[in-house]
Amino acid sequence: MSRTLSAPVTVAFDYTRSTGPVLGRFLTGLRDGVLVGARTSQGEVVVPPLEYDPVTHEQTADFVEVEPVGTVTSWSWVPEPVAGQPFDRPFAFALVTLDGATRPMLHAVDVASPAEIRTGMRVQVRWAEERVGHITDIACFEPEAGRDEGADGATELSRPGEADADGGFEAPFEARGLAPQDERSARTSTTEGDVTGVVTPVSLDYVYAASPEESTFYRGLDEGRILAQRCPTCDKVYVPPRSACPTDGTPTEGEVELSGLGTITTFCIVNVPFLGQKIAPPYVSAYVLLDGADIALLHLILGVPADEVRMGMRVEAVWKPREEWAYSLENIDHFAPTGDPDADYDTYQRHL
Amino acid sequence: MRDVAVVGFAQRQMPDFDGSPTCVEMLVPILAECYEQTGWTRRDVGFWCSGSSDYLAGRSFSFVQAVDAIGVTPPINESHVEMDLAWAMYEAWIKIQTGEVNTALVYAFGKSSAGVLRRTLALQLDPYTMTPLWPDTVSLAGLQARAGIDAGLWDERAMAEVAHRSLTDAEKNDHAIRKGGSSVADLLARPMYADPLRKHDCAPVTDGAAALVLAAGDRARDVRDRPAWITGLSHFVDSPGLGTRDLTRAPSAANAAARLDLDGVEVAELHAPFSHQELVLRRELGLADDVRINPSGGALAGNPMFSGGGIRIGETAQRIWSGEIGKGVGHATSGAALQQNLLCVLDADNGRVGA
């Protein structure tokens, strides 16, 4: 048996962001199949556009349309793609300087092996089948169509060091300027208006490894026992057990088995429905101070009308049928009143 | 300015840690080491600051459970940064400079192996145009490495030499999780991983924790015969946009160095999780040829997230306490491709007459 319990955990949520006028302009362009960058006060053409000028700190206003073709200025092979990347097979991430831009943007290049990509290679945008105003509207870059791979037709790219020495990159050809409204409004007249927000789903996978103390606790629950541990310095009993006593910073030790009997120290009546709620409100969540423990457990109170729950009420654990047990505090279905007289305030007042 | 020194340091590094994702269990013995080194109890600590990451832990407010390890009743003077230990130390140094406290214990922890580290770190990028592509840390470092190779600033051999020297030096470091056993030729003969990077060019995924103890003036002299006085501390940040940066440079590191006196530095512990990044930093810091770089083996020998930078400061401090060196610099980085850089100059001599 391994020392600790572990289980897979996925943390997933959607980031919902407003985009503002500059990134909104860029993302609207992507949706419409147009690449929009912006010129800085130093004459750089940056794609995606910077929201504020890095030198003057003025909001970006000088938008330019750049070409959907460009030159690879650096690349890195991705032998083992991770979830969410543009491909689930090996590919390259690259910095691509689009024709009309002076600074590169990051994206994927769809080639089958490192032998098929090189710095200086010409690439073109492959658009996603459905465009919604998101960076992934660019599915990836791919080698430029009709380009002879043998001929190195684009070695004129400047290197970062040289560019800095010269004070800026030289654009391969003149970028087309966009007036603040005209050209874009013409393009978007047939679409649904500007992109003002993006939703980015995030999903992260972890292996949650419980601490040795937590593992003891969960293994106990799987046997129908409630196990706590004691601080050797101050004698306080913690359930679930913690790695160290928060009062003393001392590692807890020893197993202390507690009964399922306890006292409600405080509670709340949940009236508000929320996503993922398992019980129809109203219901009572309460802190239950198990007899012999110095810290209360949060659990559900059933078997009594919500408006009759009170501080000091004596309750006991009601376990699920044994065949439903797992390494979980949910093995205890809920706590229910014992019918005994309420506990004296003195017995729990130090634990509020 | 008050004289403040590093007077305590403890660390743990491991490939993966069987247990507590909050690393409370690992912190307890590390803090005990700090008490033993200083002769203090936790009541002697005026300020606490920690570094960790919720994304690394996979849950919110993940640092709260870790404060159990320091004991928080009655309430203590405590803070947290979602940054490396080195930045937690910076906050503590400022706290001591205010005069409010004289001592601080800073700690950091992280279980990198709980998720896919190179993927998790994509969450620190621009959320509109970069994170949705999930560019992993190794790929971004690869773009940086190739930019330097293409510009003729370094080559695969120079990168292998960094890795070889690190792994050789790491043989003397009990905490290193990767060490020794190769030559530059052997390293170059190994297959590419994420072209242009081989696996030994990338820091190993490392779980771990570390702590540093700071003290002002006589409190420091009480602890150490040769306290490692902090005579310079500086940090800067570059743009998060990879496209707007020259990836072969790290202006933030150069800016930090320009504000410090690095003359006479004998050892530089550089936080370079990728071999070529040491070459970038060496140039930006303008270090002399005789400066020993990463005698601990550096991050290529072990890089516990959120402790790796602070460990560089601790390693430097230890060499001052022991009398091995008189002056050194510890460096920490954060963000993608050396975006953020902190430098901490440590000196056996605090530079004050009669001190």
Side-chain angles (χ1 to χ4, degrees):
Chain A
M1 185 167 67
S2 89
R3 195 170 68 105
T4 66
L5 296 171
S6 63
V9 175
T10 299
V11 177
F13 49 91
D14 288 346
Y15 268 123
T16 305
R17 292 186 166 88
S18 58
T19 51
V22 177
L23 282 169
R25 182 94 183 244
F26 171 71
L27 295 171
T28 302
L30 292 185
R31 186 198 63 197
D32 298 344
V34 177
L35 290 156
V36 176
R39 204 184 312 269
T40 70
S41 63
Q42 304 299 97
E44 299 277 3
V45 177
V46 182
V47 187
L50 301 172
E51 292 180 282
Y52 289 89
D53 190 278
V55 176
T56 66
H57 307 146
E58 295 290 323
Q59 186 176 317
T60 296
D62 187 5
F63 295 99
V64 295
E65 182 181 325
V66 300
E67 298 298 312
V69 292
T71 303
V72 171
T73 57
S74 188
W75 59 275
S76 182
W77 192 245
V78 187
E80 298 168 17
V82 295
Q85 289 184 335
F87 295 99
D88 58 8
R89 53 185 160 80
F91 68 99
F93 268 119
L95 292 170
V96 175
T97 304
L98 296 165
D99 291 355
T102 64
R103 290 287 177 176
M105 67 177 289
L106 175 82
H107 219 295
V109 178
D110 181 13
V111 285
S113 80
E116 294 173 31
I117 184 171
R118 67 187 195 288
T119 304
M121 189 168 87
R122 297 283 294 167
V123 291
Q124 63 187 23
V125 167
R126 181 195 299 164
W127 295 103
E129 285 180 18
E130 190 183 352
R131 297 196 305 265
V132 296
H134 199 266
I135 189 66
T136 52
D137 287 356
I138 299 174
C140 65
F141 284 87
E142 59 191 12
E144 192 178 5
R147 201 84 183 179
D148 178 7
E149 262 305 297
D152 204 350
T155 50
E156 68 275 10
L157 87 154
S158 47
R159 285 174 172 159
E162 296 166 5
D164 272 8
D166 297 345
F169 289 86
E170 181 132 1
F173 66 89
E174 193 61 26
R176 275 174 283 155
L178 291 182
Q181 291 301 325
D182 56 358
E183 196 167 332
R184 179 187 48 147
S185 55
R187 285 180 185 280
T188 55
S189 61
T190 57
T191 60
E192 306 151 20
D194 291 352
V195 172
T196 56
V198 290
V199 177
T200 299
V202 169
S203 179
L204 296 164
D205 295 317
Y206 301 88
V207 174
Y208 182 89
S211 66
E213 297 78 14
E214 285 176 294
S215 299
T216 299
F217 177 67
Y218 288 118
R219 284 185 175 121
L221 287 169
D222 190 48
E223 299 165 357
R225 305 162 71 204
I226 304 172
L227 297 178
Q229 280 184 324
R230 191 183 300 278
C231 169
T233 305
C234 69
D235 237 24
K236 282 199 171 68
V237 171
Y238 294 101
V239 60
R242 309 161 80 112
S243 300
C245 170
T247 302
D248 301 299
T250 314
T252 54
E253 55 186 37
E255 274 182 17
V256 180
E257 184 163 356
L258 302 174
S259 77
L261 282 168
T263 301
I264 292 177
T265 59
T266 186
F267 64 95
C268 89
I269 301 174
V270 179
N271 289 299
V272 181
F274 56 84
L275 191 68
Q277 198 169 38
K278 293 179 178 173
I279 306 163
Y283 59 90
V284 179
S285 264
Y287 270 145
V288 176
L289 182 68
L290 294 174
D291 294 351
D294 287 282
I295 191 167
L297 274 178
L298 182 65
H299 219 300
L300 175 69
I301 307 296
L302 293 177
V304 55
D307 61 2
E308 289 179 23
V309 173
R310 55 195 181 271
M311 291 171 71
M313 181 178 247
R314 294 288 292 164
V315 291
E316 66 184 332
V318 178
W319 292 75
K320 285 180 176 170
R322 181 159 211 130
E323 59 272 19
E324 293 177 27
W325 287 358
Y327 297 108
S328 172
L329 187 55
E330 291 183 7
N331 291 0
I332 298 174
D333 186 74
H334 61 273
F335 282 81
T338 61
D340 293 332
D342 286 1
D344 284 341
Y345 182 67
D346 290 348
T347 63
Y348 61 88
Q349 66 158 332
R350 292 193 310 110
H351 303 285
L352 294 177
Chain B
M1 296 287 259
R2 305 184 72 194
D3 293 337
V4 180
V6 178
V7 297
F9 171 52
Q11 61 169 317
R12 290 287 185 286
Q13 303 189 41
M14 50 193 74
D16 55 65
F17 176 51
D18 173 25
S20 169
T22 64
C23 299
V24 177
E25 189 192 26
M26 191 157 26
L27 283 170
V28 167
I30 285 174
L31 299 176
E33 273 180 57
C34 289
Y35 300 142
E36 193 181 332
Q37 287 178 24
T38 53
W40 298 354
T41 72
R42 62 194 191 88
R43 302 280 182 218
D44 292 305
V45 177
F47 180 66
W48 307 79
C49 194
S50 61
S52 71
S53 164
D54 284 355
Y55 283 118
L56 206 63
R59 55 178 174 173
S60 54
F61 295 101
S62 61
F63 72 96
V64 170
Q65 196 176 352
V67 299
D68 278 7
I70 60 181
V72 289
T73 311
I76 55 169
N77 194 355
E78 187 264 346
S79 184
H80 173 258
V81 296
E82 193 91 356
M83 291 287 282
D84 186 276
L85 173 65
W87 276 269
M89 189 208 77
Y90 186 88
E91 181 175 335
W93 178 81
I94 288 176
K95 194 77 160 185
I96 295 174
Q97 290 301 338
T98 66
E100 189 184 325
V101 297
N102 298 314
T103 58
L105 198 160
V106 296
Y107 61 96
F109 54 93
K111 187 177 167 63
S112 307
S113 68
V116 180
L117 177 64
R118 64 197 162 100
R119 181 172 186 270
T120 305
L121 293 176
L123 271 297
Q124 67 185 338
L125 301 168
D126 161 33
Y128 298 93
T129 65
M130 288 182 70
T131 299
L133 303 173
W134 293 91
D136 56 282
T137 335
V138 173
S139 294
L140 296 179
L143 293 173
Q144 183 180 38
R146 189 178 309 283
I149 291 170
D150 286 346
L153 294 169
W154 58 77
D155 56 17
E156 290 174 20
R157 168 166 288 273
M159 290 159 62
E161 284 168 356
V162 168
H164 175 61
R165 198 214 58 238
S166 292
L167 296 174
T168 303
D169 282 341
E171 288 177 343
K172 298 188 289 287
N173 181 352
D174 291 341
H175 297 284
I177 67 165
R178 189 193 275 171
K179 57 181 79 174
S182 200
S183 66
V184 171
D186 289 340
L187 295 178
L188 285 171
R190 289 183 189 168
M192 281 291 178
Y193 172 59
D195 193 339
L197 301 176
R198 293 175 171 83
K199 284 199 170 170
H200 57 253
D201 290 314
C202 314
V205 173
T206 313
D207 292 351
L212 292 165
V213 185
L214 304 186
D218 288 340
R219 293 301 301 271
R221 294 183 191 92
D222 287 345
V223 174
R224 297 272 174 198
D225 293 336
R226 272 169 67 91
W229 298 105
I230 298 170
T231 57
L233 198 51
S234 182
H235 68 136
F236 282 83
V237 56
D238 293 320
S239 167
L242 287 190
T244 57
R245 286 164 57 192
D246 171 357
L247 291 178
T248 67
R249 305 299 304 262
S252 55
N255 282 337
R259 282 155 180 80
L260 301 173
D261 176 12
L262 297 178
D263 285 349
V265 160
E266 295 158 79
V267 159
E269 280 281 344
L270 305 180
H271 188 204
F274 296 90
S275 57
H276 66 275
Q277 292 180 344
E278 180 184 303
L279 302 170
V280 175
L281 291 166
R282 190 170 190 140
R283 174 184 179 189
E284 300 297 5
L285 270 54
L287 296 174
D289 286 344
D290 60 352
V291 175
R292 283 176 70 203
I293 309 278
N294 288 347
S296 70
L300 293 179
N303 186 38
M305 288 307 298
F306 295 87
S307 302
I311 286 173
R312 309 273 73 78
I313 295 169
E315 289 281 356
T316 309
Q318 281 182 329
R319 289 173 203 279
I320 289 178
W321 302 337
S322 71
E324 180 186 330
I325 61 169
K327 185 175 180 181
V329 60
H331 161 265
T333 196
S334 187
L338 297 177
Q339 186 203 355
Q340 307 175 44
N341 293 284
L342 179 150
L343 291 170
C344 176
V345 179
L346 298 173
D347 202 325
D349 177 3
N350 69 358
R352 302 208 179 172
V353 178

